[in-house]
Amino acid sequence: MNLKEAYSILISDLKKAGYLKSDNITSALYAVSRWDFLPAELKQLSTMDEPIPLGFGQTTSAPHMVAIMLELLDLREGQNILEIGTGSGWNTALLAELVGPKGSVTTIEFIEELQDSAKNSLEDYFNVGCIHGDGKKGYEPNAPYDRIIVTCAAKEEIPKALEDQLKDGGIIVIPIGSIIMQELVKGTKRGKWIEKENCGLCKFVPLV
Ligand code: SAH
């Protein structure tokens, strides 16, 4: 079996398991191969539903977790998105496919080497801006955002800057909790408040 066939099986398994529901997310997963975003020696692992090490103590999320987060975000074409934790850039490319050429994705990565390599992998996406910096501060120049996705775990609460940079009615998806285990939280902005919904346990590297 080649990588392409194995990747199709992974996508249909995500559907069967109920992680993947929407047609637009399924199309994005077919459009953006995970192996394009992995280091050469790890591409063979790209079709496994497992997190994969990226170096520097970081990992790229398992495909089922990516599907869960993208489904919670309820993404539409033309939206303005902020992602914290670019990592491999795979999730960034999926976001860019989902919002299309009229939308835009700002992605922030703390580790310069990862940011450099993701920037290379994402060079064909004109609707993506890669920023090196601390995602806890958000990125004010492109705010407000329709959606914010955080792919590393906050200890106790949603960082204030991210709440402020979210549009009214906008959605943030963020893991919150200890280094061992976190709750995946979906927050919807209602005026000054964020209405929070717990969406299950998860395990992410920490937001530093
Ligand atoms: N979405 C990525 C996940 C990478 S893991 C992927 O699937 O490949 C989470 C990433 O968040 C790591 O690369 C880590 O360096 C980054 N990170 C952690 N704290 C951060 C912060 N404060 N600001 C920006 N990036 C951060």
Side-chain angles (χ1 to χ4, degrees), residues 18-88:
Y19 297 121
L20 182 58
K21 299 180 185 97
S22 308
D23 289 344
N24 61 341
I25 301 176
T26 307
S27 306
L29 283 166
Y30 277 114
V32 188
S33 337
R34 193 182 188 212
W35 59 83
D36 284 343
F37 292 84
L38 293 178
E41 64 280 13
L42 295 175
K43 287 191 192 295
Q44 284 299 327
L45 303 177
S46 62
T47 59
M48 290 171 67
D49 190 14
E50 299 287 344
I52 296 175
L54 294 173
F56 311 96
Q58 307 303 326
T59 55
T60 180
S61 308
H64 74 273
M65 188 46 69
V66 171
I68 290 172
M69 293 180 98
L70 293 177
E71 292 284 355
L72 287 172
L73 280 172
D74 186 24
L75 294 153
R76 316 272 168 83
E77 281 187 22
Q79 284 178 330
N80 185 29
I81 313 289
L82 176 67
E83 177 189 48
I84 314 299
T86 315
S88 66

Side-chain angles (χ1 to χ4, degrees), residues 58-61 85 88 109-111 114 133-135 151-152 205 207-208:
Q58 307 303 326
T59 55
T60 180
S61 308
S88 66
E109 173 56 53
F110 196 62
I111 298 175
L114 289 179
D134 179 6
T151 66
C152 35
V205 295
L207 174 73
V208 288

